[in-house]
Amino acid sequence: MFGPNLFHNVGGCVAVILFGIGFSNLLLQKNLIKKIIGLNIMDTAVYLYLAVKGYITGRAAPIVTDGVQEVEAYINPVPSGLVLTGIVVSVSVTAIMLSLTIRLYRRYHTLDLDEISMRLKKEGL
Amino acid sequence: MRFVQNFPFFSIILSMFAGIVSSVLPPRAAKWVNTVLIVTVGVMSAALLTFLSGTGEPFVYRMGHFPAPWGNEIRAGVLEAGMALFFCIIMLLSMAGGRKKLIGEVEYSKHSLYYIMVDLLLSSLLALVYTNDLFTAYVFVEINTISACGLIMIRQNGRTIEAAVRYMIMSLLGSGLFLMGLCTLYDLTGHLLMSNIRESVEQIMEQGVYTVPLAITIGLISAGLAIKSALYPFHTWLPDAYGYSTVSSAAMLSSLVSKGYIFLLIKIIYRVIGFEAFAQSKIIDVLFVFGVLGMIFGSVSAIRENDIRRMIAFSSVAQIGYIYMGMGLGTQIGMTASVFHILSHAATKSLLFIAAIGLTDVSRGSRRFIDLTGAGYRHKMAGAAFTVGALSMVGIPMFSGFVSKLLFAEASVGHFYKMLPAVIALAVSTILNAIYFMKTAIRIYVPERRMGREVITAGQEPVYAAVLVCFILLNIALGMLSQPIVEWIGTGLSMFG
């Protein structure tokens, strides 16, 4: 079942494992900074997946050099474009998460989300 | 091509530019830009709706005139145009109803930022409704998340920031899954446009290859969007986010943001995966189970709540459960019921949030039930509106909630083995709904002995009263004119195909 297919798709498998690592970090870590690191691992794993799927062995990046214009010379450019868009999105959500973390840290002097929730309950706001 | 066919694109780009322009405008001007924008987009959507009802054919709008597999596309049918119109109406009423409170809730210098977020929210909602490209959908899902997060955290206290963090974490988990599903789908089919993916998916299904990856893809996309729209048990962020943000934010978050994701999921089911393929997959059973659980446990949490706004928020969890239960039935009529419930819940929940704020205003700002005693007499308009909302949620005939419950019951009766759990869950959930909503409605009409409480009449807050009247009329219209609306949903869904 796992023989040649696994070897063939080793990049995709690594990407999915990384995705799992990032996902569980974002979900389970208590520390907010570690959560954000998990988020970035998760997003990067998706880019790795896209890059692997867009790559065709033996071909170059789709930038026309030396006048070579055959389609066969280049890899699929669409996934690269998707990766770029994805990076923009991921940077902006990371920025928002970091700014929220700073806000919470200034107010409560801790990065532990559960502890913050407990204090909020005590405040009874 | 007719001029009216440009309107979907115009409404998206107009709301985006309004957001950009508002960043340099003073708050007063930003407010007017926002109001004019929502009205304009509403009028354009209405024009589009009449045009599409006339032709009876959906159309595709090519961005930059690049042909199909490469270019980006917008697609509009009857259902999309109607949804856009409905979203505009709800947004306009929510903004107008919460405007007076906004001054006390948010610093005046930050009002421009608030309107930017609302403009961006509208643009992302419209894009989710109209887009024909999956990756564009992903980008606008993220814009929607960011602007919703801004709407939560603009009110500065510990609770809202914590709620915003929790909301972001849950949303990012959801969009991560959605993105991964989208990438595997791209890997399987090699396309990003919904219509092209559909063709490839049909081929794959015919050849009987890649069954496991396709099932995983459907699962990832459904799970991602379900997490983002706060399906039980992913609702932990919801009560704080709805309960402590500004009143307009709460109304819009509950009635528009989560509905945008659900609408996108419905669109993906019909236009990308194909309804038959989706109905055959095991994913719908999962959605069905979680929907049923949400209907029960959301209501149970609402009963245990002692704070009126958090109670309404928990009721949202139950109503989202209804929508997923209808989708999980896997029949056309179940889907129609779900779409109707999107409308009905949006109209009712925003009414409840806006009305609740009037009741707490006359109770010294307290949101606990014991302080709300007799609030219906002190603010007659808000009391009446809250009662209408409560009756509609419980499912009393004449109001919109009754029709959606009727449709859900009708849909579940036709199903072979999901009939019993669905009907039982509907009955139990209705009783639980009645317990907590009637408890509140009775509480606000219990005469209170202590004198000297503040009394607000409709004349003192004419805009607020007018908004509540509009909401009540909308609710009754949905309840009384259900037949044409259900027919419209049916035509719209068949146009998806």
Side-chain angles (χ1 to χ4, degrees):
Chain A
M1 181 181 174
F2 288 121
N5 266 344
L6 183 68
F7 182 71
H8 203 70
N9 290 321
V10 68
C13 293
V14 171
V16 170
I17 292 168
L18 269 178
F19 183 87
I21 293 173
F23 188 87
S24 38
N25 266 302
L26 178 56
L27 184 65
L28 301 175
Q29 286 286 357
K30 277 183 187 165
N31 187 309
L32 279 169
I33 298 291
K34 287 184 184 168
K35 267 185 192 295
I36 297 172
I37 293 173
L39 160 73
N40 280 313
I41 294 175
M42 184 176 85
D43 281 347
T44 316
V46 178
Y47 310 146
L48 175 65
Y49 185 83
L50 276 171
V52 165
K53 292 296 169 190
Y55 182 69
I56 304 168
T57 318
R59 298 192 190 177
I63 304 162
V64 178
T65 44
D66 309 327
V68 183
Q69 291 203 341
E70 288 94 51
V71 183
E72 281 71 32
Y74 301 113
I75 61 164
N76 182 0
V78 177
S80 322
L82 300 185
V83 169
L84 274 180
T85 320
I87 287 175
V88 173
V89 170
S90 142
V91 164
S92 38
V93 289
T94 311
I96 283 203
M97 280 299 284
L98 285 171
S99 68
L100 282 170
T101 309
I102 293 173
R103 280 268 175 81
L104 277 181
Y105 187 75
R106 281 199 186 137
R107 219 173 249 263
Y108 298 101
H109 300 286
T110 174
L111 287 170
D112 188 334
L113 197 55
D114 293 344
E115 204 186 318
I116 294 170
S117 302
M118 284 209 337
R119 278 200 217 171
L120 277 169
K121 281 210 182 93
K122 267 186 208 157
E123 276 178 24
L125 192 113
Chain B
M1 196 170 101
R2 301 275 294 276
F3 181 67
V4 70
Q5 290 178 316
N6 289 305
F7 282 0
F9 172 69
F10 283 172
S11 20
I12 295 170
I13 207 79
L14 205 64
S15 24
M16 239 175 187
F17 272 110
I20 296 167
V21 169
S22 296
S23 59
V24 292
L25 290 178
R28 257 188 92 77
K31 178 185 104 183
W32 281 112
V33 167
N34 178 262
T35 311
V36 170
L37 167 78
I38 300 175
V39 172
T40 319
V41 173
V43 170
M44 286 202 285
S45 311
L48 190 68
L49 182 61
T50 35
F51 169 74
L52 283 167
S53 320
T55 57
E57 290 262 314
F59 67 85
V60 167
Y61 180 89
R62 284 177 299 158
M63 308 278 285
H65 294 281
F66 292 109
W70 297 286
N72 198 337
E73 283 178 358
I74 284 175
R75 183 183 176 283
V78 191
L79 194 59
E80 285 101 322
M83 269 295 171
L85 173 63
F86 186 75
F87 282 172
C88 285
I89 295 173
I90 295 286
M91 189 176 254
L92 186 67
L93 290 178
S94 307
M95 287 305 289
R99 186 150 289 143
K100 216 170 156 213
K101 284 301 282 182
L102 195 64
I103 300 161
E105 286 167 331
V106 180
E107 290 169 46
Y108 186 68
S109 57
K110 295 221 165 95
H111 278 202
S112 296
L113 293 175
Y114 191 75
Y115 291 115
I116 296 174
M117 291 302 165
V118 178
D119 294 343
L120 288 181
L121 184 72
L122 181 62
S123 95
S124 59
L125 279 173
L126 290 168
L128 288 186
V129 167
Y130 284 126
T131 185
N132 197 23
D133 182 285
L134 268 185
F135 208 78
T136 312
Y138 165 70
V139 172
F140 278 97
V141 160
E142 291 289 25
I143 296 179
N144 204 335
T145 307
I146 292 172
S147 50
C149 177
L151 286 179
I152 297 171
M153 71 181 197
I154 193 122
R155 191 176 180 196
Q156 302 269 349
N157 60 41
R159 280 276 195 181
T160 50
I161 300 175
E162 192 243 0
V165 169
R166 285 195 184 277
Y167 172 72
M168 275 308 264
I169 291 167
M170 267 300 162
S171 284
L172 292 172
L173 289 171
S175 45
L177 289 178
F178 179 62
L179 179 62
M180 197 67 200
L182 210 147
C183 292
T184 43
L185 197 58
Y186 176 70
D187 179 32
L188 285 177
T189 60
H191 288 291
L192 286 170
L193 283 180
M194 292 188 183
S195 4
N196 297 96
I197 298 179
R198 177 75 190 279
E199 284 166 19
S200 308
V201 166
E202 270 171 8
Q203 279 176 11
I204 291 174
M205 301 273 289
E206 257 175 41
Q207 290 161 7
V209 289
Y210 292 128
T211 41
V212 176
L214 197 62
I216 291 175
T217 304
I218 300 175
L220 282 173
I221 290 179
S222 314
L225 288 172
I227 291 178
K228 286 186 84 84
S229 51
L231 175 62
Y232 181 88
F234 310 111
H235 66 282
T236 43
W237 55 271
L238 188 142
D240 279 354
Y242 292 4
Y244 299 99
S245 52
T246 68
V247 56
S248 302
S249 306
M252 284 190 291
L253 283 168
S254 63
S255 53
L256 302 179
V257 175
S258 48
K259 303 301 179 308
Y261 301 135
I262 296 174
F263 190 77
L264 179 66
L265 182 58
I266 292 176
K267 210 168 143 162
I268 287 176
I269 290 170
Y270 274 91
R271 306 230 344 105
V272 178
I273 299 156
F275 186 73
E276 301 304 319
F278 184 75
Q280 283 163 17
S281 70
K282 297 278 176 282
I283 308 297
I284 61 162
D285 298 339
V286 179
L287 289 183
F288 179 79
V289 169
F290 282 121
V292 167
L293 287 177
M295 283 162 70
I296 309 282
F297 288 105
S299 306
V300 171
S301 311
I303 291 179
R304 289 166 50 200
E305 201 48 66
N306 198 20
D307 173 320
I308 183 166
R309 273 183 69 181
R310 282 174 64 94
M311 179 200 87
I312 303 173
F314 270 119
S315 153
S316 282
V317 177
Q319 307 302 323
I320 299 279
Y322 276 85
I323 296 176
Y324 277 98
M325 188 273 282
M327 278 159 72
L329 287 172
T331 52
Q332 287 291 347
I333 177 163
M335 207 54 125
T336 314
S338 289
V339 178
F340 189 88
H341 199 62
I342 291 180
L343 303 176
S344 146
H345 177 236
T348 315
K349 200 41 63 74
S350 38
L351 164 68
L352 282 171
F353 272 118
I354 302 275
I357 207 74
L359 295 177
T360 55
D361 270 356
V362 288
S363 313
R364 300 205 182 96
S366 168
R367 296 139 52 137
R368 290 185 317 145
F369 279 111
I370 191 82
D371 297 317
L372 287 174
T373 315
Y377 294 112
R378 297 195 293 271
H379 197 317
K380 292 210 169 60
M381 198 62 229
F386 189 89
T387 314
V388 168
L391 292 177
S392 168
M393 277 282 126
V394 175
I396 305 293
M398 231 177 93
F399 302 112
S400 61
F402 169 72
V403 181
S404 50
K405 281 200 176 146
L406 188 69
L407 285 171
F408 278 124
E410 228 176 281
S412 47
V413 165
H415 201 280
F416 175 54
Y417 60 94
K418 282 177 190 159
M419 174 179 121
L420 214 53
V423 174
I424 291 174
L426 262 175
V428 172
S429 173
T430 305
I431 293 170
L432 295 176
N433 269 345
I435 290 176
Y436 61 82
F437 273 120
M438 288 306 111
K439 180 181 83 178
T440 322
I442 292 170
R443 168 66 68 185
I444 63 175
Y445 282 115
V446 169
E448 206 216 6
R449 298 188 199 295
R450 278 179 290 167
M451 301 303 280
R453 286 276 181 100
E454 191 186 0
V455 175
I456 296 179
T457 56
Q460 285 170 302
E461 291 180 343
V463 180
Y464 181 74
V467 165
L468 289 181
V469 170
C470 288
F471 265 128
I472 294 173
L473 289 179
L474 185 64
N475 229 305
I476 294 177
L478 279 175
M480 304 287 267
L481 303 173
S482 57
Q483 200 56 42
I485 294 173
V486 169
E487 273 165 24
W488 158 68
I489 293 171
T491 340
L493 287 179
S494 62
M495 273 190 195
F496 272 157

